[in-house]
Amino acid sequence: MERPAWAPRSIDISVPSVSRIYDYYLGGSHNFEVDREAARKAMEFMPGLPKIMQANRAFMRRAVRFAADEGIDQFLDVGSGIPTFGNVHEVAQSANSGARVVYVDHDPVAVAHSQAVLAGNDGAGVVAADLRKPREILASAEVERLIDLNRPVALLLVAILHFVEDADDPYEAVAELRDALAPGSLLVLTHASYEGIPLPAERAEGAVDVYKDIRNPLIMRSREEIARFFEGYDMVEPGLVPPPVWRPQEAPEDEDPYAFSGFAGVGRTA
Ligand SMILES: C[S@@+](CC[C@H](N)C(=O)[O-])C[C@H]1O[C@@H](n2cnc3c(N)ncnc32)[C@H](O)[C@@H]1O
């Protein structure tokens, strides 16, 4: 298989990756046949998967806009993924040209493509790091250069925590990041769940198994388990809800039923 210029030498292009599968669902071009094969297999069980991803991205954009309207001008996006359309830095910097954005991901393609997209953008940077090691994120040169930890930050954990197993203590990682950020900071979060999926859970499990097979398990948590990530935060209205229900610009009932899968919310520290 030929290796395109955007694929770093370090990656094994015969093994699917969650960020490239996600890129495929979103109609992006940074994916290989192995990724598309895994995505198509998951879609045999849950044909509406791309709708879930689109609703996730639409929520993310509304939440970034909300944060900007609240006067937040620093964004730390962990698990930022492969840039496609309507990325966080574009939304944040169109609302406020002085906004600072740091993308963090542990996937080499996500990091390389983010670097390419951000070339020449002095207000944005990329860190190759792992959410499970929050201190490395906080101590990174790009966070030091772009983020003033004495002022509020919008921390984005959008569609990432469902890739962190309980054994890796995702709650502790989220708490460490919360404690490092100034009061008035926001947590913008989405998470997969069997709740809200317009299918019997046994059917959805088939899609979840695809992620197990590629050794990147997808952890479906209950609403209650997801709400625990907001410990120490006050929920912004309307709370932890299906993505299209969070401050929609249009009537959410017009959405595809799949869009209501999982949960989205924003919290603020006092
Ligand atoms: C489904 S994508 C979400 C991308 C973007 N946040 C969005 O919602 O459009 C999940 C991203 O999280 C990254 N990721 C998963 N586990 C991670 C970890 N422990 N540390 C850093 N990044 C991680 C993956 O590489 C992938 O790019």
Side-chain angles (χ1 to χ4, degrees):
M1 196 185 328
E2 206 173 309
R3 180 183 292 265
W6 52 261
R9 293 245 140 250
S10 61
I11 64 165
D12 180 351
I13 59 177
S14 66
V15 178
S17 97
V18 294
S19 61
R20 297 193 315 256
I21 292 174
Y22 183 73
D23 179 71
Y24 173 68
Y25 288 139
L26 287 175
S29 56
H30 293 82
N31 50 72
F32 299 112
E33 188 48 33
V34 280
D35 306 308
R36 297 188 282 273
E37 209 174 282
R40 286 192 292 258
K41 208 158 149 200
M43 282 166 67
E44 279 172 24
F45 297 94
M46 287 182 68
L49 274 168
K51 288 283 169 207
I52 300 180
M53 312 310 170
Q54 284 158 16
N56 177 68
R57 294 284 292 186
F59 159 78
M60 183 187 81
R61 289 191 277 266
R62 294 197 303 280
V64 169
R65 186 81 217 187
F66 167 83
D69 289 347
E70 293 280 296
I72 301 238
D73 61 359
Q74 316 188 87
F75 296 82
L76 179 59
D77 184 2
V78 185
S80 46
I82 299 171
T84 56
F85 307 105
N87 302 299
V88 168
H89 72 281
E90 291 160 341
V91 180
Q93 292 180 338
S94 74
N96 172 355
S97 58
R100 305 295 187 101
V101 178
V102 175
Y103 287 145
V104 181
D105 209 290
H106 70 175
D107 180 281
V109 172
V111 171
H113 190 49
S114 299
Q115 275 162 345
V117 165
L118 296 180
N121 187 331
D122 294 337
V126 191
V127 178
D130 196 305
L131 171 61
R132 292 167 294 185
K133 294 180 180 158
R135 257 163 288 175
E136 286 181 15
I137 297 173
L138 294 164
S140 65
E142 287 303 79
V143 167
E144 178 130 338
R145 179 172 77 88
L146 291 163
I147 308 263
D148 175 359
L149 291 172
N150 295 310
R151 294 196 303 112
V153 172
L155 168 64
L156 277 77
L157 298 176
V158 179
I160 176 173
L161 280 162
H162 47 233
F163 294 115
V164 185
E165 297 178 79
D166 284 347
D168 287 326
D169 210 347
Y171 294 98
E172 180 56 31
V174 174
E176 265 192 56
L177 289 170
R178 177 198 64 213
D179 292 348
L181 303 182
S185 291
L186 300 179
L187 171 61
V188 175
L189 180 150
T190 65
H191 199 298
S193 178
Y194 284 120
E195 293 176 44
I197 291 181
L199 281 176
E202 313 82 72
R203 188 113 189 102
E205 263 168 33
V208 171
D209 284 346
V210 170
Y211 288 86
K212 212 186 282 165
D213 292 347
I214 66 165
R215 300 223 178 78
N216 225 314
L218 176 59
I219 318 300
M220 304 294 262
R221 294 192 171 93
S222 66
R223 185 180 183 282
E224 206 182 320
E225 288 166 331
I226 299 166
R228 276 183 49 213
F229 287 116
F230 285 98
E231 210 173 279
Y233 288 91
D234 296 325
M235 293 309 288
V236 166
E237 283 298 317
L240 187 60
V241 291
V245 179
W246 199 90
R247 298 179 180 246
Q249 273 152 353
E250 285 157 32
E253 60 267 26
D254 292 347
E255 292 272 2
D256 185 286
Y258 270 99
F260 293 82
S261 310
F263 292 98
V266 176
R268 187 192 283 109
T269 52

